[in-house]
Amino acid sequence: HELLSELQQRRFNGSDGGVSWSPMDDELLAQPQVMKLLDSLREQYTRYQEVCRQRSKRTQLEEIQQKEWFAVYVELNQQIAALLNAGDEEDLVELKALQQQLSDVCYRQASQLEFRQNLLQAALEFHSVAQDLSQQLDGLLGMLCVDVAPADGASIQQTLKLLEEKLKSVDLGLQGLREKGQSLLDQISNQASWAYGKDVTIENKENVDHIQGVMEDMQLRKQRCEDMVDVRRLKMLQMVQLFKCEEDAAQAVEWLSELLDALLKTHIRLGDDAQETKVLLEKHRKFVDVAQSTYDYGRQLLQATVVLCQSLRCTSRSSGDTLPRLNRVWKQFTLTSEERVQRLETAVAFHSSAEKILQECPEQPEAFNEMEQFDEIEAVGKSLLDRLTVPVVYPDGYAKCYCSAF
């Protein structure tokens, strides 16, 4: 108890000098281990007391049986019956009264022995249930005192399921203990005197206090385990969430890579006229919005892993891999996307200028001779052709030719 007090004081008040105290892993585990040892000592002491109690009771019962009171009853009853058969009328009334008194005493003694046997049987069942419950609590506490580091979400879910099953078993065991204890208390409350003039109030009070103490102790131990299960459950649910965030972040990188691949391999047409090119430009912007959402989603997941790792005091498996991959793919995508936009916008300008000249030529043939307009559209077309010959350069130096034909 002094050790528990010291650990709690260090935990909540910090160390001397006002400097905050950061407990080591073994110090974090010290408190439940001390509690487990205390519970074990209490259990062994309770068992010792019960062994002494049961031994004393068995000794009393053996003493009663050794007196051979039933054989005495049979012998006296036979003697009284013989005297009654002798027909001495003067003694009939007294003999019958004596016979009735003998029967009453023997009946009471038999009832008391039967009651005693039932009481001991109820006590045996109560302490058997208490012992089983104590073992279940020890097993649950031992499981909670061992820090686990599951490799994936499935193993965490399995461990959580096992914890819940053990806790449910403890609940059922405690309920059974209460039922057995209440039945035993009811029998004790109905207990009569073991002999004429003997007061069993003190003995009954000791028994009642002992039974209630066992149930209260089990309730406290169960409550401590429940509190630790709540903490372990929260930690493991956070670990499940961490694994899920890591997996989803990696999936976001894959999705973004697929979008980049589609942009390079399938988004290459520039359109046959200004209208079609504008439609392609609008589709491309929507495509970029999807990629932006995917990138933002991946970033949010990775930020969540950082928060969860800080709470769990661990290192994320994706901290040194997924984020660089995500940023690299996103940079590749944005470079390629910007190049795609520039080409589409240049193509729109080219098509628009060409269509304008072609529309004006039939009505104003002299306009076609305006070299300035022709030179302008020719410059736009050459600029577009030059851009189509330039490859897309990735951040790592890898070049991908990004060409298209009208």
Side-chain angles (χ1 to χ4, degrees):
H1 285 298
E2 291 177 359
L3 178 56
L4 283 177
S5 177
E6 176 66 20
L7 288 172
Q8 293 172 352
Q9 183 177 1
R10 282 170 56 83
R11 181 175 182 179
F12 292 106
N13 297 336
S15 60
D16 296 335
V19 181
S20 60
W21 174 67
S22 179
M24 301 296 290
D25 291 341
D26 54 349
E27 292 176 320
L28 291 174
L29 295 176
Q31 186 170 347
Q33 290 174 347
V34 173
M35 289 182 178
K36 181 179 179 181
L37 288 173
L38 283 175
D39 290 337
S40 178
L41 288 172
R42 292 193 191 98
E43 180 185 356
Q44 293 186 34
Y45 181 65
T46 300
R47 291 176 183 173
Y48 167 76
Q49 288 182 315
E50 183 58 25
V51 168
C52 293
R53 190 188 306 273
Q54 295 297 334
R55 179 174 297 177
S56 176
K57 293 178 180 179
R58 285 195 298 268
T59 301
Q60 295 176 8
L61 186 59
E62 290 172 357
E63 290 177 353
I64 294 175
Q65 293 175 345
Q66 289 174 358
K67 293 179 179 178
E68 295 183 354
W69 61 270
F70 186 74
V72 174
Y73 162 74
V74 172
E75 181 181 355
L76 291 176
N77 196 45
Q78 291 176 349
Q79 293 178 5
I80 293 175
L83 292 175
L84 288 174
N85 291 332
D88 191 348
E89 296 182 359
E90 294 181 359
D91 298 330
L92 286 179
V93 176
E94 184 177 356
L95 288 173
K96 288 183 177 180
L98 184 60
Q99 186 182 43
Q100 184 62 45
Q101 183 180 3
L102 179 62
S103 298
D104 292 342
V105 171
C106 290
Y107 176 78
R108 183 181 302 173
Q109 183 72 7
S111 299
Q112 289 176 350
L113 287 176
E114 182 180 7
F115 180 86
R116 179 64 174 172
Q117 182 178 1
N118 294 336
L119 187 64
L120 290 175
Q121 182 62 37
L124 177 61
E125 294 176 358
F126 170 78
H127 288 291
S128 296
V129 173
Q131 183 176 356
D132 292 340
L133 178 58
S134 179
Q135 293 175 351
Q136 291 178 2
L137 288 169
D138 286 341
L140 180 57
L141 183 60
M143 184 177 179
L144 293 169
C145 289
V146 177
D147 195 12
V148 294
D152 51 48
S155 59
I156 293 178
Q157 295 289 355
Q158 185 66 27
T159 304
L160 280 174
K161 181 179 179 182
L162 181 60
L163 273 177
E164 297 295 343
E165 290 176 352
K166 285 184 174 294
L167 189 59
K168 183 178 180 180
S169 178
V170 167
D171 286 333
L172 294 175
L174 185 60
Q175 180 180 353
L177 181 67
R178 291 195 186 103
E179 293 174 356
K180 295 295 183 182
Q182 188 58 50
S183 175
L184 182 57
L185 291 174
D186 292 340
Q187 293 189 49
I188 292 177
S189 64
N190 295 328
Q191 185 177 8
S193 298
W194 293 101
Y196 297 115
K198 182 178 180 180
D199 187 6
V200 294
T201 304
I202 298 178
E203 180 182 352
N204 284 349
K205 184 178 184 306
E206 292 177 353
N207 291 331
V208 169
D209 292 343
H210 172 70
I211 295 168
Q212 291 177 342
V214 171
M215 292 192 292
E216 291 173 359
D217 180 64
M218 292 298 174
Q219 176 63 42
L220 290 175
R221 291 177 60 187
K222 184 246 186 185
Q223 185 61 52
R224 286 197 294 267
C225 286
E226 278 186 339
D227 294 340
M228 295 180 68
V229 167
D230 290 340
V231 175
R232 177 61 60 87
R233 184 188 295 113
L234 177 60
K235 180 178 179 180
M236 301 192 78
L237 288 176
Q238 286 180 331
M239 295 181 71
V240 171
Q241 188 177 3
L242 173 61
F243 290 143
K244 181 63 176 174
C245 287
E246 291 176 343
E247 293 172 0
D248 290 349
Q251 183 63 59
V253 175
E254 296 301 322
W255 288 339
L256 195 58
S257 299
E258 292 173 2
L259 292 174
L260 174 62
D261 192 57
L263 179 60
L264 290 169
K265 293 181 179 179
T266 62
H267 295 210
I268 56 177
R269 291 193 69 254
L270 296 181
D272 296 332
D273 52 41
Q275 182 61 33
E276 183 181 1
T277 305
K278 290 179 181 179
V279 172
L280 290 174
L281 184 59
E282 182 62 25
K283 288 183 178 179
H284 176 72
R285 286 169 178 161
K286 293 180 179 179
F287 185 78
V288 172
D289 290 340
V290 173
Q292 180 71 56
S293 299
T294 303
Y295 172 73
D296 293 340
Y297 176 64
R299 291 282 299 184
Q300 292 172 0
L301 289 171
L302 291 175
Q303 290 174 355
T305 61
V306 173
V307 175
L308 289 169
C309 286
Q310 290 175 348
S311 176
L312 293 170
R313 298 181 181 180
C314 67
T315 302
S316 172
R317 298 175 300 178
S318 62
S319 59
D321 179 34
T322 307
L323 181 58
R325 287 177 54 212
L326 179 66
N327 290 333
R328 177 177 177 274
V329 175
W330 177 242
K331 187 174 182 180
Q332 294 171 347
F333 183 90
T334 53
L335 289 175
T336 307
S337 173
E338 290 171 359
E339 179 62 25
R340 172 71 172 165
V341 170
Q342 292 295 328
R343 295 180 182 186
L344 286 172
E345 290 178 345
T346 305
V348 169
F350 173 77
H351 284 303
S352 298
S353 298
E355 291 170 2
K356 181 179 180 181
I357 292 177
L358 292 175
Q359 289 175 359
E360 293 176 352
C361 282
E363 299 176 0
Q364 302 177 0
E366 66 278 4
F368 186 74
N369 295 324
E370 295 290 340
M371 295 303 297
E372 183 178 352
Q373 293 181 355
F374 181 79
D375 291 342
E376 181 180 349
I377 188 173
E378 184 180 24
V380 174
K382 287 183 178 180
S383 175
L384 180 58
L385 289 174
D386 292 340
R387 183 174 286 276
L388 291 175
T389 61
V390 177
V392 176
V393 181
Y394 287 138
D396 57 2
Y398 173 72
K400 175 72 176 182
C401 186
Y402 186 67
C403 305
S404 173
F406 291 100

